[in-house]
Amino acid sequence: MKRFTLCVGTALLVAGLCRSDDHTPGDQTGQSLNDMTIEQLMQVKVEGAALHPQTLEDAPASVTILTAEDIRKYGYRTLAEALSSVRDFYSDNNRTYTTVGARGFDLPGDYGSHLLVMVNGHNMTDNIFDYMLFFGPDFPIDMNLIKQIEIIRGPSSALYGSNGIFATINIITKGPEDAGPPTLTADAGSFGAKQGQFTAGRRLGRNGAILFSSTIYNNSGESPLYFPEFNAPQTNYGKAINMDGEKGYHFFSTLTWRNWTVTAAFSDHDKIQPISWGATVFNDRGNWNNDVRNFVDASYVRGLSHGTLRWRSYYDSHYYVGRADYPLDPLHPATSGVEDNRTYLNGDWAGSELTYRLRRNPLGELTFGTEVKVDLRNIQENRDIMPFPVEYLKIDRPDQAFALFVQEERQLTRHWKLDLGVRYDWSAYRDKFVAPRAGLIWQPSSSWTYKLLYGRSFRNPSAFQLFYDDGLGAAANPEARPEKADTLEFDLEHKLGKKMNVLASAYGYRLSDFLEGVYDSRGLLQYQNIGKITAAGVSVEFNGHPASWIETTVSYALQRSDDHDGDGRLFNSPDHLAKLRFAIPLGRRVDASSSMQYMSAGLSFGQALVKPVYLADFTLTTKQLLPNLDFRVGIRNTFNRNYTDPVALTPIVDAMQQPGRSFFVELIAHGRH
């Protein structure tokens, strides 16, 4: 309570120091969409919905954009935190990885594999698990480097191939022109959290510029963590001590030179697991993971007489090492010694993509594209280190993939627009797939937009699901087929005057050939195409300025997901999501904001309902409060709610305790150009 009082007192003191006649500083981070007039909103562009910039009304999807100003004002510290504030989205944390779900789909153990995440159009999916694991501090791009987050609901396989079933998230990073003066950021918070970041930009003659940023972080984590399933003397009465720590680094750079943009990101993340996969030794700091995620992407864009040419080439890598300590005698785990088991996954891949957008032709605007992707390494290993070396698995199964796609955007009349697209994907050891989509958009006036959308999307079985077979716990299934989904959606967008907007969506999904883990005749877990899932829902959102002194976004989603080959209700699929966020200026140099959310009960793998949760966050930020110094303070889970998330790590534990109330303070020191 004393710390809470101190934070409130600091906010009131800063508000008193900020005079209303202060000069408004220049905006270096962009503008919140809620601050914009209708005319300004019509100029906002989204790039990921159709491979080129277009207005939100013209995009063949329901789109939400979070700007750098939103990230600053609301104090979003991770990608999951930002996405959790958005209509239809929610997150969960098994204290190894944080994942994000959308529209009632976030199966424990799914790890966001039905979402497509990109950085400047660069696909962040790896080549072994076939998903993007990193939504917490492990995401390779720091939040301070993000210019815009595009949340594009609905299927995107017609443009991008595998994984784009429920949504596509495209993170647009700041370029050298957005860097501003050199900046040093230092922050500290609850659970021993510490982080430092340095960012700078520089011109390189007339034709080029560079931005680079480096970050290092360390978090000791909550301790103790209590697990009632292990409440016994031999397992420390269920208390895991110092078992939630993590540390890592990020390095990011963008170089622009004439028509070229080269982006590079390198990251490393170490995480101790309080609960690992399988029957590992409880309260043993020997259970840990290490992820290294790197990429280099070179993009060339050139305008031609009748269109625009884009060429992208890239190199990616994801290296994973996991240690798991198993008791040699499960009946006497505290005294029997441990089996030190290691998993090594090494993935390297390269690719190239070429697109050409043809303007002003009888068919409207056409976009043609092709993509080639080649695995350089796809190595999966599992072996014991102690008590004596044993190799259970070592395979290298690289893939080669090829795709062709075409998109047509035709203005039928002044008020009607038609979007059509189709993509063909081929793989050396996966089934080929054809993914179409269609969108009909009606804009009877500048304030009303209606969208009727259809798409067929897919997710390929991963190399892990196809080939990982250690003979101990997992069995390969080289006959696994892609998961398929058909989606129908209706969207309404309406501007209420000049300062408020209303958005509504109704959708239905039908997933078939869903890959579910089942036990084979040997008792090994194998992924098979046996699932059939349907999902349906409606959501509505109001955003803007109900009064001149406040910006707000409020949304509600009603959703239902059912597993027709299981027990009916889908795991970790809450029926109700309600969100509220608002920001109030305290003078011209300070903003106070809050993000609140309610999530109804969800079902764990153990058929238990995790209780509903209401969370409230508060943040205070400054903007050029002093010539060279700003700060940000925040409270998360302000009312210290005790809640759990469904997880899929071991049959013993199917729900994970989540963090209580926490605080952070961030200082931002600006240099001079």
Side-chain angles (χ1 to χ4, degrees):
M1 180 58 70
K2 290 182 179 179
R3 287 183 290 181
F4 180 79
T5 304
L6 178 61
C7 288
V8 173
T10 303
L12 294 175
L13 174 62
V14 172
L17 292 173
C18 297
R19 295 164 46 191
S20 61
D21 59 348
D22 284 342
H23 174 68
T24 302
D27 187 359
Q28 297 177 351
T29 59
Q31 187 177 8
S32 172
L33 295 191
N34 286 350
D35 288 330
M36 297 182 182
T37 64
I38 287 181
E39 290 75 15
Q40 290 173 315
L41 281 169
M42 293 179 69
Q43 302 305 314
V44 174
K45 304 293 185 181
V46 56
E47 298 183 20
L51 295 174
H52 65 86
Q54 58 185 171
T55 66
L56 300 183
E57 290 84 359
D58 288 336
S62 174
V63 180
T64 296
I65 290 181
L66 296 176
T67 67
E69 178 67 2
D70 294 321
I71 294 170
R72 180 198 71 83
K73 190 178 296 183
Y74 291 95
Y76 300 135
R77 296 164 61 76
T78 65
L79 181 58
E81 193 173 75
L83 295 175
S84 293
S85 72
V86 173
R87 171 171 54 100
D88 295 330
F89 284 76
Y90 59 108
S91 65
D92 69 271
N93 178 13
N94 66 7
R95 294 191 183 263
T96 298
Y97 297 106
T98 299
T99 60
V100 170
R103 293 184 163 178
F105 192 93
D106 189 19
L107 277 172
D110 183 71
Y111 295 103
S113 62
H114 295 77
L115 303 177
L116 178 66
V117 179
M118 303 186 296
V119 174
N120 300 325
H122 177 92
N123 193 329
M124 293 296 291
T125 302
D126 75 276
N127 70 332
I128 294 179
F129 289 121
D130 198 44
Y131 44 62
M132 205 284 294
L133 276 169
F134 315 117
F135 289 92
D138 46 6
F139 186 62
I141 313 299
D142 288 282
M143 297 301 289
N144 292 337
L145 296 172
I146 295 176
K147 183 176 182 178
Q148 179 171 297
I149 302 176
E150 302 173 349
I151 299 107
I152 305 162
R153 296 169 181 81
S156 64
S157 291
L159 289 179
Y160 302 113
S162 180
N163 297 87
I165 291 181
F166 287 98
T168 298
I169 296 105
N170 187 29
I171 290 100
I172 307 295
T173 62
K174 295 177 181 178
E177 69 280 3
D178 307 305
T183 301
L184 180 64
T185 303
D187 62 270
S190 301
F191 315 130
K194 299 176 287 292
Q195 178 171 302
Q197 179 185 10
F198 177 74
T199 303
R202 183 179 179 86
R203 293 289 307 174
L204 301 176
R206 293 183 177 181
N207 299 314
I210 189 171
L211 175 148
F212 59 89
S213 176
S214 60
T215 300
I216 187 169
Y217 61 92
N218 195 329
N219 183 352
S220 57
E222 275 191 287
S223 182
L225 294 173
Y226 176 64
F227 296 90
E229 299 88 349
F230 291 96
N231 188 5
Q234 62 270 27
T235 51
N236 199 35
Y237 296 97
K239 295 179 180 179
I241 309 297
N242 298 324
M243 289 290 297
D244 194 32
E246 61 185 335
K247 62 181 179 179
Y249 70 79
H250 303 152
F251 177 81
F252 176 83
S253 182
T254 295
L255 169 69
T256 59
W257 184 266
R258 295 183 177 175
N259 299 91
W260 287 92
T261 300
V262 180
T263 301
F266 305 90
S267 66
D268 183 284
H269 181 250
D270 290 295
K271 182 69 177 71
I272 298 173
Q273 292 184 282
I275 297 294
S276 187
W277 294 283
T280 55
V281 178
F282 181 75
N283 197 32
D284 177 9
R285 288 174 60 86
N287 297 312
W288 52 260
N289 287 339
N290 172 256
D291 286 281
V292 176
R293 182 69 171 92
N294 307 320
F295 75 85
V296 179
D297 183 293
S299 177
Y300 176 85
V301 181
R302 183 173 180 178
L304 303 175
S305 58
H306 296 291
T308 302
L309 177 71
R310 295 175 181 267
W311 178 40
R312 175 196 305 275
S313 292
Y314 55 86
Y315 164 79
D316 283 71
S317 64
H318 177 208
Y319 308 135
Y320 168 89
V321 180
R323 171 177 169 173
D325 285 353
Y326 297 97
L328 291 175
D329 182 358
L331 297 178
H332 302 88
T335 59
S336 65
V338 299
E339 172 193 358
D340 178 356
N341 180 263
R342 306 287 176 97
T343 299
Y344 301 90
L345 306 173
N346 297 319
D348 296 90
W349 63 102
S352 188
E353 178 186 291
L354 181 67
T355 64
Y356 181 69
R357 181 172 174 237
L358 179 63
R359 300 186 300 271
R360 298 187 301 274
N361 69 87
L363 296 177
E365 296 185 350
L366 284 176
T367 302
F368 305 91
T370 183
E371 182 178 8
V372 177
K373 176 182 170 183
V374 177
D375 285 352
L376 306 176
R377 287 195 302 176
N378 193 314
I379 298 175
Q380 303 180 60
E381 297 182 62
N382 182 271
R383 61 176 180 262
D384 281 350
I385 304 298
M386 295 189 332
F388 46 83
V390 179
E391 183 174 275
Y392 299 107
L393 173 72
K394 185 174 183 180
I395 58 172
D396 185 8
R397 294 298 301 266
D399 189 21
Q400 296 84 42
F402 171 76
L404 289 170
F405 54 90
V406 61
Q407 174 182 258
E408 178 188 6
E409 301 166 81
R410 180 185 296 189
Q411 195 73 41
L412 301 176
T413 69
R414 180 183 174 186
H415 301 294
W416 290 88
K417 179 186 174 184
L418 179 65
D419 281 83
L420 300 172
V422 64
R423 172 169 165 139
Y424 168 80
D425 280 88
W426 174 89
S427 164
Y429 54 60
R430 297 179 175 96
D431 290 352
K432 56 183 176 291
F433 200 92
V434 176
R437 78 168 182 179
L440 185 62
I441 301 174
W442 180 39
Q443 294 174 291
S445 69
S446 61
S447 60
W448 287 92
T449 302
Y450 302 89
K451 303 177 182 180
L452 182 62
L453 310 169
Y454 165 78
R456 165 164 278 209
S457 52
F458 71 100
R459 181 200 169 232
N460 275 323
S462 67
F464 180 85
Q465 293 168 328
L466 289 167
F467 305 121
Y468 192 91
D469 194 330
D470 57 10
L472 299 173
N477 182 10
E479 304 301 319
R481 304 181 302 277
E483 300 174 349
K484 297 181 282 292
D486 290 283
T487 306
L488 188 63
E489 179 172 344
F490 175 75
D491 297 322
L492 178 151
E493 302 170 8
H494 178 49
K495 298 178 177 63
L496 299 171
K498 291 190 175 182
K499 285 295 185 177
M500 290 295 295
N501 306 282
V502 58
L503 304 97
S505 297
Y507 59 86
Y509 284 80
R510 184 178 62 194
L511 282 76
S512 57
D513 283 337
F514 187 77
L515 285 163
E516 292 188 7
V518 299
Y519 289 98
D520 66 8
S521 58
R522 298 176 293 168
L524 303 180
L525 186 67
Q526 183 183 62
Y527 287 91
Q528 300 178 7
N529 296 98
I530 61 173
K532 181 180 179 183
I533 293 172
T534 59
V538 294
S539 62
V540 62
E541 173 184 323
F542 293 86
N543 64 60
H545 280 264
S548 60
W549 52 272
I550 186 173
E551 71 167 49
T552 186
T553 299
V554 58
S555 68
Y556 169 73
L558 174 64
Q559 54 199 22
R560 176 76 185 198
S561 299
D562 293 297
D563 183 354
H564 293 273
D565 295 312
D567 297 316
R569 187 172 180 181
L570 197 66
F571 301 116
N572 196 24
S573 181
D575 291 338
H576 306 276
L577 291 176
K579 309 286 179 72
L580 169 66
R581 69 176 190 181
F582 61 88
I584 302 171
L586 306 178
R588 295 189 177 181
R589 298 179 186 265
V590 182
D591 293 292
S593 67
S594 177
S595 292
M596 303 181 184
Q597 59 178 302
Y598 166 81
M599 184 165 63
S600 63
L603 193 66
S604 75
F605 274 149
Q607 300 294 326
L609 281 175
V610 298
K611 63 183 181 181
V613 61
Y614 161 71
L615 300 175
D617 301 337
F618 293 91
T619 307
L620 186 75
T621 64
T622 72
K623 192 171 184 181
Q624 296 189 348
L625 179 66
L626 299 174
N628 301 105
L629 184 67
D630 280 300
F631 73 86
R632 180 165 57 186
V633 297
I635 309 173
R636 298 296 181 258
N637 192 2
T638 304
F639 303 109
N640 201 28
R641 298 292 184 180
N642 181 18
Y643 71 105
T644 60
D645 283 343
V647 298
L649 296 168
T650 167
I652 299 175
V653 178
D654 67 348
M656 182 69 67
Q657 174 188 339
Q658 295 303 300
R661 183 188 298 121
S662 63
F663 303 82
F664 72 88
V665 178
E666 181 176 88
L667 298 178
I668 307 105
H670 307 285
R672 297 181 178 180
H673 282 287

